[in-house]
Amino acid sequence: MRVAPAVAALVSAVTLAAGTALPAAARTAPHPVRIVKIYYDSPGADRRTNDSLNAEYITLLNTSRRAVNLKGWKVRDKSGYTYKFGKVVLRAKKRVTLRTGQGDDGVAVVYWNRKQYVWNNDEDTAYLLDRKGRQVDSCSYKASSRSAYVDC
């Protein structure tokens, strides 16, 4: 038996109002590790000094109440530059900053150890991939004359 479109729409509206539209398992929740900031244009002239490279960075936040092991996770830009996390455990409600230049990794800061910039000053996209290569977040930007960073 066919149901008239108006009746089908009414049934859908009632189902949504009753809160039974989708079972909980069918809803997709965002991953708790998110890209929260990209500082894409380090201050001053782009001379590729280590200080300038390290002023370019991306910050991730663990929004959950549990630690997340980032070993094997990747941050990639639109051009394909890829950073792979080593032994990094991102504790609950904490941030980790990935700086482009060279340095010694710590709990809250890790270094790409590059000698060239990653993030384009005009526009780019950052992708966060889990250890299985699944995209869990992304952030795109177009440069603004008022800012050298984007909050995602």
Side-chain angles (χ1 to χ4, degrees):
M1 174 172 125
R2 284 187 61 116
V3 177
V7 173
L10 179 61
V11 170
S12 294
V14 170
T15 301
L16 283 172
T20 58
L22 288 175
R27 293 185 202 119
T28 304
H31 196 281
V33 178
R34 314 294 297 164
I35 299 168
V36 293
K37 185 174 201 169
I38 303 171
Y39 205 112
Y40 55 84
D41 189 6
S42 59
D46 289 344
R47 299 191 194 282
R48 287 191 283 179
T49 65
N50 196 51
D51 285 343
S52 180
L53 289 165
N54 281 332
E56 178 185 88
Y57 61 85
I58 182 170
T59 301
L60 309 179
L61 170 66
N62 179 357
T63 63
S64 76
R65 294 185 206 167
R66 296 180 185 218
V68 176
N69 185 350
L70 296 180
K71 185 175 183 178
W73 286 47
K74 296 176 183 175
V75 169
R76 183 174 61 82
D77 81 331
K78 198 187 309 187
S79 300
Y81 295 121
T82 304
Y83 173 83
K84 186 175 181 179
F85 283 92
K87 296 179 183 179
V88 175
V89 176
L90 186 53
R91 294 184 317 200
K93 307 294 182 187
K94 297 295 181 184
R95 296 171 189 257
V96 64
T97 297
L98 169 59
R99 296 190 180 272
T100 300
Q102 299 178 10
D104 294 324
D105 292 348
V107 174
V109 179
V110 293
Y111 294 86
W112 206 310
N113 290 315
R114 290 183 50 85
K115 294 183 179 181
Q116 296 180 4
Y117 297 97
V118 172
W119 307 109
N120 297 330
N121 288 351
D122 56 349
E123 66 180 276
D124 209 337
T125 300
Y127 303 95
L128 177 61
L129 310 171
D130 68 13
R131 71 179 46 89
K132 293 183 179 180
R134 295 176 297 214
Q135 181 179 315
V136 297
D137 198 18
S138 67
C139 178
S140 296
Y141 62 87
K142 289 191 184 225
S144 163
S145 60
R146 290 170 281 167
S147 182
Y149 66 89
V150 62
D151 290 315
C152 305

